[in-house]
Amino acid sequence: MKQNNDYMEKMLARKTPSTGGGFSAEGMKRAEALMALYPVKRSALIPMCHLAQGEHGWLTEECIEEIAALVGVSPAEVSGTASFYDMLHLEPVGQYVISVCTNIACMLAGAYELLEAVEERLGIASGQTDKDMRFTLEEAECLGACDTAPCLQVNSRFFGPMNSESFDKLITDLASGALAGVVPPHGVLSRVERVFSLTTKGATDAAQMDTTDAGQK
Amino acid sequence: MTDTVHTQNQAEEEERDNTVNIVIDGVAIKANEGELLIEAAERNGIFIPRFCYHPHMEPVGMCRMCLVEVSGPRGFALQPACYLKVQENMEVMASSDKAKRAQEGVLELLLINHPLDCPVCDKGGECPLQDQTMSYGPGESRFIEEKRHFDKPIELGPLTYLDRERCIQCARCTRFAAEVAGEPQIDFAGRGDMTMVATSPTRPFDSYFSGNTVQICPVGALTAKAYRFKSRPWDLEQAETTCTLCSVGCREVAQSSAGELVRYLGVDNLTLNQSWLCDKGRYSFEAVKNGRVLTPLARHEGVLEEVRWADALADITAGIRAGLAKGGGDQIAVLGGAKFTNEDNYMWARLAKGVFGSELVDAQLGDGFNAELALALPRAGIEETVNARTVVLIAGDLKEELPVLYLRLYQNLAKGKTKLIEISPTHTSLSDLAKIKLSPRPGELFSITEDIFDVTKNSVGSLKDESVISSIRQFLDVREETSADDGEGIVFVVGNANLAEAPIYLEESLKLIAAKLPKAKFLPALRRGNIFGALDMGLGPNLLPGRINKDRGDFFRRTWGTLPASPGIGTPEILAKCAAGEVSVLVLLGADPLSDFVDQALVQKAFENTPFIISLASHMDPSATSADVVLPVPYMGETAGTVTNLEGRVSVLGQKVTPPALARQPWLIAADIARLLEEDFGLYTLEEVSQEIADTVSLYRGVSLASLKRFGGDGVFVPVKAAKVKIASSTKSIFDPIAVPGIASVEEQGAPIKTGSAKPIALQDGNTKDSSAEALAKGDARLISLADVTSATRHAGGLDVIAEPKSDKYSLRLILQRDLYDAGSTLVNCPTLASLGGVQEILLAPSAASGFGLQNGSPVNVTGRGQMIEAQVKIDKSLSPGLAVLKVNKSKANDIFSADVSDGIASGRAELLVDASALVTDIRLETKHDKKKELG
Ligand code: SF4
Ligand code: SF4
Ligand code: FES
Ligand code: FES
């Protein structure tokens, strides 16, 4: 358990997505452990992609090769499968991946206005990353948080309802580090690592918004 | 009368007692159990439209074009005919209104995102999407929105472009890559309307078989770099022919536009290549235009100059006369023939052996094994091999040497239809599928074979793990008491896996195996194009036309007048004689020993010390460049005649384009030389030569160009088994324009095949009653048998394992192998393939590499025989320490086109390190940083 926490801390300590590279030695051990959970090796493919994304912020070429070798498929099959899922990124992303929901509930609540405001504030269009590699903006389908419409995610953590003012504040907080304990580096999912709650990092109230960690404190 | 008919019907009934009765569109049909509905319908003349279905791949039901109404418990429902197996009493409506509406609907949906840029699409005019839209489409689209857009085309690999907008997601290409080739380098990426075929970001689609995906793509999404925008389908003319780049001899059509060869497409047949080709064969048409020898050349004052044919032939005749005068037939050596036709080779064999009286004749260039042995071993066909109970591979990597044989074998191994035991020095493309894998070190093969097969020899475990040896024994059912049935159902695929090792180890092993397993069959993996045709026609040591040993050559002694007296020797010994100055004239029949023989020092010396060298060459290769007289001959696609593949299948070459104006068929050159030597053969046309073969060569009795053209289909096996040959429907080409788009109509192809339609045919013209098999059995010219094989004299008795090199830790034992893409004349003359040559790599075991402080890609120098070459390190986990693997005919530079050919290739050439007369070869490694120290 202690060891797990160390690994998690290491993942959480990553400031920005990396430019490339394969699994760390620890990550490789985890990948192998993950594979052992499944009767058919290739079933571990998606969890392993998340693991890789947790380490690097995106699915690096080196990790694709390593995953392919581990589960016994070709690299083209790994990248092909990963490309099916919006949550898996095959290209380097910014430090914060902002996913604005534009599905029906959010749309009715002003998602497009929000998206426009976000685009203007960040100076990039949906699907782009700014040149400092700080933000990647994407449009998302229903995030399952319609009660907080219009909503968005930052590195898979939920914020909503949002408008242009609260988004400005969100950006400022992200920049000042005020949300350090709430928004983890991109790719770090507690789904991969069900051991550890973000609340141990301190920000108790903010963590309540983190549905992926709900009930794990 | 009625009786006969009745019995016939009964017989047919019995033959197919596992049939099921179905009804399609009101017609009662007998289908085979387990058959797909689409196939049963097709065999009965009912065509159901399709895109993703392909007869040689597993169905996926991906495109829904084949929807038909099928009866079920809840009445009729739409089901994909390509995915549904027939069942007793199944009722099908293939052209009901509902089925038609479904098919229209599918087409309308497919066309929504299809760019409809047919006017600029390679496929336009031969496109299943176009054709089926015309026949089954709705006629109009309701879609007025904007279509999706992609950047196009993208380069999937070095030979293939992908236009993603045109793709209809049928998964033919991805299934081919995964299922047929075993290399899933492409797969679907994305989702929904953004689904596309893609490679991984790290690896291009550089499979040796990538061209097949272009051929089977039912739209113009995949296009071939070499063919793009070269022609429109309606301008194409075609001829069915055989690829002669390797001895698999794939059937294909050669297509030309405006007199220029522009494309090869594989022809669908069941027992040979099943419509697949390798990329080297497929794109080799480019070589027709580049680097050709266009006129006869003769060396005057050191320079090759254009001369007239008459002068060239006069020079040659004078040279040959002088040689004969000096010391008889053995002054004249004739090498090569594997690039030529059977007719060419017959005439050259007759000229060399019957006129010159020379026994210095060999079509192999020292890269195979004893020709007599190869011909004497009981031969297996490809179909028999890939369906054998057990296949034993004692050869190199089939993917590198005989690509489409690998393809056939891979599929059946992957499907578990056969089992593999691999006895090969390196990790091959099939190793992962082998039940048992043994890696003999150079010089160990015979001892291992003895361990396995010689039960009396008490040496089990002396070399290899005892349990492995005994499990191989179990697999092959090797027992102490040999019975006549031993080896039933086992096929050995045998070839020389290490060109830096004497073939004697393999030869002795094969003799032992054949003796211990009398029923086992062999598929000799001699690689060169028409090598088996050349050997069958007598272009090998101690051989005469028809796979007979010289000792049984009374017939030819009578008809040819004379036969050589001295014993035959193979190319390495012939070249040694040349090098010793004992040969006056060296004739190269399309052979290029200067880039295609493992012992370069020997060839160079042979070239220096032979006064008169004649090269019959299609391309200006290094050997032609060094010859004294060069005669232009046609290349693949320009040649007519017959060839024989590694199974013993004789097929017809279709000539599609005319050779350069001054090129002449090699057989004609032989006839001319014979005439000038006052030994006129009286054969003036190709047909006459072919008829002489059919009349006088027992093995080929009745197998002439004329009879093959009428009845041959995808070729016939010699010896022909019965006077009346029944060409089974299974050997007949299938013509399915959707399975293999682009082939309009091919002679001898009928669409679709019907069972029972194959009529027995007579291959002979009636005047010879016996079949060749019967005639051979009667003994007028007995086929060579194992007992006839002239036993090798080299190193006899010296087959014990040779001690490892141990002069120092930098000494390694060499395994020299072949890459499909070597720097031979195909790659050099095909611009599209040229960049695939790759650099010389030296494979090392991980421990060896780390011991030397080397990583993947480190440059090293490799020395041997006082020569030094450059190579890049590649670490190979499957290799054991003390061994190194290099490839023949490799260059130092990546792009042999842009590299300085003479220098670039030479300094990467491992052939400089090998001594053809040695049993095994040792080399030394010099890492760049300690070069000085080591040299000093
Ligand atoms: S590229 Fe061609 S073969 Fe491949 S999925 Fe698309 S349409 Fe089918
Ligand atoms: S496998 Fe051999 S015969 Fe077939 S296409 Fe390739 S080179 Fe030609
Ligand atoms: S519609 Fe936006 S979260 Fe459901
Ligand atoms: S679904 Fe049957 S042919 Fe495609």
Side-chain angles (χ1 to χ4, degrees):
Chain A
M1 196 66 84
K2 180 71 181 57
Q3 189 192 8
N4 282 343
N5 288 351
D6 286 350
Y7 178 65
M8 206 56 195
E9 302 227 11
K10 238 198 327 222
M11 300 238 275
L12 288 169
R14 176 168 54 72
K15 284 278 179 291
T16 51
S18 66
T19 50
F23 282 114
S24 65
E26 250 277 70
M28 189 53 105
K29 252 190 247 147
R30 270 155 198 274
E32 277 157 8
L34 259 177
M35 214 161 52
L37 295 178
Y38 299 88
V40 178
K41 274 204 282 183
R42 65 189 290 166
S43 309
L45 204 158
I46 300 289
M48 264 192 225
C49 290
H50 281 299
L51 189 66
Q53 207 161 252
E55 292 210 339
H56 294 284
W58 60 292
L59 199 47
T60 62
E61 291 170 0
E62 292 85 347
C63 282
I64 290 177
E65 293 271 333
E66 286 174 358
I67 294 169
L70 278 169
V71 304
V73 300
S74 75
E77 286 167 312
V78 175
S79 57
T81 307
S83 68
F84 187 92
Y85 300 98
D86 286 345
M87 274 180 79
L88 294 171
H89 290 260
L90 288 155
E91 313 233 303
V93 290
Q95 186 180 356
Y96 299 110
V97 174
I98 299 178
S99 321
V100 180
C101 173
T102 53
N103 215 304
I104 186 107
C106 292
M107 186 187 79
L108 293 174
Y112 281 116
E113 290 76 4
L114 172 63
L115 181 63
E116 237 170 73
V118 173
E119 285 184 337
E120 200 161 309
R121 177 71 173 79
L122 299 180
I124 50 175
S126 165
Q128 295 181 336
T129 300
D130 68 353
K131 62 177 189 319
D132 308 330
M133 299 301 283
R134 291 266 286 164
F135 298 105
T136 295
L137 179 59
E138 58 186 27
E139 237 177 287
E141 300 308 329
C142 178
L143 294 169
C146 314
D147 58 327
T148 61
C151 69
L152 55 75
Q153 282 185 337
V154 179
N155 292 355
S156 300
R157 265 58 189 186
F158 286 84
F159 296 92
M162 298 295 287
N163 55 27
S164 65
E165 288 77 46
S166 53
F167 183 70
D168 279 349
K169 176 163 187 323
L170 177 65
I171 294 292
T172 320
D173 287 352
L174 284 171
S176 70
L179 289 172
V182 181
V183 176
H186 181 249
V188 177
L189 295 183
S190 55
R191 272 183 202 291
V192 177
E193 187 47 72
R194 285 191 176 279
V195 179
F196 188 89
S197 164
L198 281 166
T199 51
T200 57
K201 288 304 248 185
T204 356
D205 50 341
Q208 272 160 6
M209 286 166 30
D210 189 345
T211 52
T212 54
D213 275 346
Q216 294 208 22
K217 280 173 254 172
Chain B
M1 211 24 169
T2 344
D3 248 21
T4 343
V5 172
H6 181 69
T7 15
Q8 231 176 25
N9 283 348
Q10 257 184 349
E12 247 171 56
E13 213 80 307
E14 275 159 30
E15 212 177 281
R16 335 211 238 118
D17 58 351
N18 54 352
T19 54
V20 290
N21 298 296
I22 61 170
V23 178
I24 305 181
D25 288 344
V27 185
I29 278 170
K30 284 203 185 308
N32 300 327
E33 210 179 318
E35 192 175 22
L36 295 170
L37 179 54
I38 203 169
E39 286 167 355
E42 182 160 342
R43 277 195 307 103
N44 288 282
I46 299 168
F47 181 82
I48 298 172
R50 77 286 298 267
F51 290 111
C52 66
Y53 166 77
H54 191 281
H56 297 305
M57 296 193 285
E58 295 296 320
V60 278
M62 192 95 177
C63 72
R64 313 316 264 189
M65 189 62 222
C66 62
L67 287 177
V68 290
E69 281 193 86
V70 181
S71 65
R74 281 171 295 162
F76 281 92
L78 288 169
Q79 302 227 44
C82 75
Y83 207 71
L84 199 65
K85 294 203 167 127
V86 289
Q87 269 166 17
E88 187 66 25
N89 296 330
M90 185 181 256
E91 244 186 278
V92 180
M93 295 197 285
S95 45
S96 63
D97 281 351
K98 204 166 159 196
K100 276 195 182 145
R101 270 182 47 79
Q103 291 162 1
E104 282 175 6
V106 168
L107 271 169
E108 192 178 356
L109 285 169
L110 282 180
L111 292 176
I112 279 184
N113 265 325
H114 196 77
L116 295 177
D117 53 354
C118 310
V120 292
C121 175
D122 271 359
K123 211 75 166 195
E126 57 180 34
C127 174
L129 182 59
Q130 271 186 334
D131 294 347
Q132 298 194 111
T133 301
M134 293 301 284
S135 318
Y136 302 94
E140 254 168 56
S141 172
R142 287 166 289 177
F143 186 75
I144 48 163
E145 291 79 4
E146 182 162 350
K147 297 185 186 235
R148 86 189 151 170
H149 294 293
F150 285 122
D151 284 342
K152 60 190 241 173
I154 56 168
E155 210 173 342
L156 273 192
L159 302 172
T160 322
Y161 281 118
L162 170 67
D163 180 326
R164 291 169 291 179
E165 291 174 0
R166 292 183 188 147
C167 173
I168 59 166
Q169 281 90 38
C170 70
R172 275 186 172 188
C173 55
T174 53
R175 273 182 296 154
F176 172 84
E179 210 179 294
V180 182
E183 303 168 319
Q185 295 178 325
I186 46 174
D187 198 8
F188 282 122
R191 187 179 69 225
D193 67 331
M194 300 308 267
T195 305
M196 60 182 96
V197 174
T199 60
S200 91
T202 42
R203 305 197 183 188
F205 183 36
D206 60 358
S207 156
Y208 287 170
F209 305 100
S210 67
N212 294 301
T213 63
V214 177
Q215 176 167 333
I216 58 174
C217 178
V219 294
L222 291 167
T223 48
K225 265 191 195 175
Y227 176 73
R228 263 169 86 76
F229 307 130
K230 280 266 169 68
S231 170
R232 311 277 19 203
W234 48 86
D235 291 333
L236 290 171
E237 292 178 349
Q238 69 184 18
E240 190 172 353
T241 188
T242 301
C243 173
T244 52
L245 277 199
C246 84
S247 63
V248 173
C250 298
R251 291 295 284 171
E252 60 184 5
V253 290
Q255 299 186 323
S256 70
S257 170
E260 214 176 88
L261 207 55
V262 291
R263 183 163 77 170
Y264 284 123
L265 291 178
V267 165
D268 197 352
N269 43 37
L270 291 179
T271 59
L272 187 57
N273 55 314
Q274 300 191 331
S275 86
W276 314 129
L277 298 176
C278 72
D279 288 354
K280 190 174 179 184
R282 183 181 298 273
Y283 298 125
S284 64
F285 69 85
E286 290 184 326
V288 166
K289 282 199 302 191
N290 303 310
R292 295 298 297 271
V293 183
L294 295 172
T295 64
L297 304 168
R299 197 169 293 280
H300 289 141
E301 287 163 10
V303 187
L304 279 178
E305 287 170 4
E306 293 184 9
V307 292
R308 297 186 313 148
W309 264 102
D311 297 338
L313 288 174
D315 273 8
I316 290 170
T317 326
I320 287 172
R321 273 190 206 281
L324 290 175
K326 188 171 165 205
D330 287 351
Q331 285 292 317
I332 300 166
V334 180
L335 296 185
K339 288 181 184 163
F340 293 174
T341 65
N342 291 353
E343 289 73 19
D344 297 334
N345 289 327
Y346 172 79
M347 291 290 270
W348 272 96
R350 185 165 171 185
L351 181 65
K353 298 202 168 173
V355 176
F356 304 161
S358 167
E359 251 309 352
L360 307 184
V361 177
D362 197 357
Q364 296 199 77
L365 296 184
D367 58 343
F369 60 96
N370 184 309
E372 290 171 87
L373 182 61
L375 298 190
L377 291 168
R379 190 87 61 93
I382 289 178
E383 193 64 14
E384 193 177 355
T385 304
V386 301
N387 289 309
R389 179 162 57 89
T390 306
V391 177
V392 187
L393 183 81
I394 308 183
D397 195 338
L398 294 183
K399 192 156 142 190
E400 306 291 348
E401 305 203 348
L402 301 163
V404 169
L405 176 60
Y406 154 83
L407 212 64
R408 295 289 318 274
L409 196 50
Y410 170 82
Q411 286 170 77
N412 277 19
L413 285 170
K415 286 183 193 149
K417 288 190 183 166
T418 181
K419 295 189 200 70
L420 180 71
I421 296 177
E422 186 177 277
I423 304 178
S424 185
T426 51
H427 186 89
T428 76
S429 321
L430 292 172
S431 296
D432 289 339
L433 293 171
K435 291 278 174 221
I436 304 174
K437 158 85 182 166
L438 254 183
S439 307
R441 299 169 78 91
E444 262 184 15
L445 181 61
F446 183 64
S447 311
I448 286 179
T449 316
E450 271 188 325
D451 283 353
I452 299 170
F453 291 97
D454 199 346
V455 185
T456 51
K457 191 185 157 203
N458 224 349
S459 65
V460 173
S462 64
L463 289 163
K464 289 283 160 184
D465 188 2
E466 190 166 342
S467 68
V468 179
I469 299 283
S470 67
S471 57
I472 296 181
R473 277 184 178 179
Q474 245 167 30
F475 246 97
L476 303 181
D477 205 9
V478 179
R479 284 159 295 136
E480 206 151 335
E481 298 290 305
T482 314
S483 102
D485 284 338
D486 283 357
E488 183 87 59
I490 304 174
V491 174
F492 289 80
V493 179
V494 294
N496 192 346
N498 178 5
L499 299 176
E501 177 186 352
I504 184 94
Y505 298 103
L506 174 66
E507 291 156 2
E508 290 305 316
S509 303
L510 295 179
K511 287 183 196 165
L512 179 60
I513 295 169
K516 293 287 175 183
L517 301 177
K519 277 275 167 65
K521 296 232 181 146
F522 296 82
L523 188 62
L526 308 182
R527 185 195 56 92
R528 291 166 196 273
N530 189 28
I531 184 66
F532 289 92
L535 296 176
D536 274 2
M537 291 301 123
L539 283 182
N542 298 318
L543 289 169
L544 285 173
R547 281 182 216 163
I548 59 178
N549 189 282
K550 197 171 60 179
D551 302 342
R552 301 183 184 279
D554 290 342
F555 171 81
F556 289 104
R557 185 163 296 116
R558 260 182 287 128
T559 47
W560 287 5
T562 170
L563 283 184
S566 35
I569 52 175
T571 295
E573 293 85 354
I574 295 173
L575 286 173
K577 266 183 181 287
C578 292
E582 292 166 21
V583 173
S584 304
V585 184
L586 172 62
V587 185
L588 302 173
L589 302 180
D592 176 16
L594 273 179
S595 55
D596 204 4
F597 183 77
V598 279
D599 184 342
Q600 275 305 303
L602 179 62
V603 192
Q604 281 163 11
K605 202 146 171 249
F607 268 64
E608 275 159 30
N609 293 342
T610 309
F612 195 46
I613 299 176
I614 304 162
S615 164
L616 280 67
S618 58
H619 290 83
M620 209 58 207
D621 55 42
S623 301
T625 312
S626 310
D628 299 293
V629 178
V630 185
L631 303 176
V633 297
Y635 184 64
M636 220 167 99
E638 302 169 337
T639 317
T642 61
V643 289
T644 307
N645 81 345
L646 79 174
E647 313 166 272
R649 178 196 295 258
V650 187
S651 60
V652 180
L653 294 184
Q655 181 189 350
K656 191 59 223 93
V657 285
T658 31
L662 289 176
R664 282 182 150 195
Q665 292 275 355
W667 70 266
L668 198 53
I669 301 174
D672 284 344
I673 296 175
R675 194 166 34 78
L676 290 168
L677 291 170
E678 277 137 44
E679 297 268 1
D680 196 347
F681 294 160
L683 301 170
Y684 306 113
T685 65
L686 182 65
E687 286 68 25
E688 282 171 8
V689 179
S690 167
Q691 198 56 50
E692 167 147 320
I693 297 171
D695 291 345
T696 65
V697 179
S698 298
L699 180 70
Y700 282 64
R701 179 166 299 192
V703 183
S704 67
L705 258 180
S707 63
L708 281 171
K709 274 189 180 154
R710 280 186 67 199
F711 310 116
D714 300 315
V716 297
F717 290 88
V718 290
V720 175
K721 282 281 169 1
K724 299 262 181 203
V725 183
K726 184 176 171 180
I727 293 196
S729 52
S730 68
T731 69
K732 193 136 164 60
S733 299
I734 317 166
F735 176 54
D736 174 353
I738 309 281
V740 187
I743 301 182
S745 72
V746 171
E747 309 105 276
E748 298 301 323
Q749 287 200 8
I753 41 161
K754 294 210 169 68
T755 40
S757 69
K759 288 205 191 70
I761 54 139
L763 265 175
Q764 280 96 339
D765 296 340
N767 42 10
T768 40
K769 273 200 224 77
D770 299 344
S771 71
S772 50
E774 284 159 8
L776 288 166
K778 284 187 189 164
D780 63 344
R782 192 158 65 74
L783 277 190
I784 190 164
S785 72
L786 285 165
D788 300 325
V789 175
T790 320
S791 54
T793 46
R794 279 197 305 156
H795 320 296
L799 290 185
D800 287 340
V801 175
I802 301 163
E804 288 300 311
K806 51 173 176 284
S807 47
D808 62 49
K809 70 164 183 159
Y810 289 95
S811 295
L812 297 165
R813 185 145 291 167
L814 177 63
I815 299 173
L816 186 58
Q817 299 194 314
R818 193 173 284 284
D819 251 2
L820 184 65
Y821 294 140
D822 63 8
S825 72
T826 310
L827 251 65
V828 171
N829 292 304
C830 295
T832 315
L833 294 174
S835 64
L836 300 173
V839 294
Q840 179 66 271
E841 283 177 332
I842 183 162
L843 267 51
L844 297 173
S847 62
S850 60
F852 300 138
L854 296 170
Q855 277 113 40
N856 270 328
S858 310
V860 287
N861 292 331
V862 188
T863 60
R865 296 187 93 188
Q867 302 276 353
M868 180 165 83
I869 67 160
E870 291 174 34
Q872 260 177 32
V873 171
K874 187 172 170 192
I875 294 170
D876 180 347
K877 276 193 243 139
S878 61
L879 205 64
S880 54
L883 296 179
V885 182
L886 285 169
K887 301 288 164 66
V888 288
N889 209 0
K890 276 285 178 177
S891 75
K892 187 179 70 166
N894 218 334
D895 187 341
I896 54 175
F897 232 45
S898 62
D900 174 354
V901 172
S902 50
D903 168 61
I905 292 179
S907 54
R909 293 198 60 188
E911 295 93 312
L912 291 165
L913 314 175
V914 180
D915 175 356
S917 61
L919 281 171
V920 294
T921 306
D922 294 333
I923 51 165
R924 283 186 87 254
L925 209 63
E926 273 156 24
T927 55
K928 297 256 164 153
H929 68 267
D930 58 16
K931 189 165 130 196
K932 273 199 206 86
K933 189 177 70 200
E934 288 301 321
L935 282 176

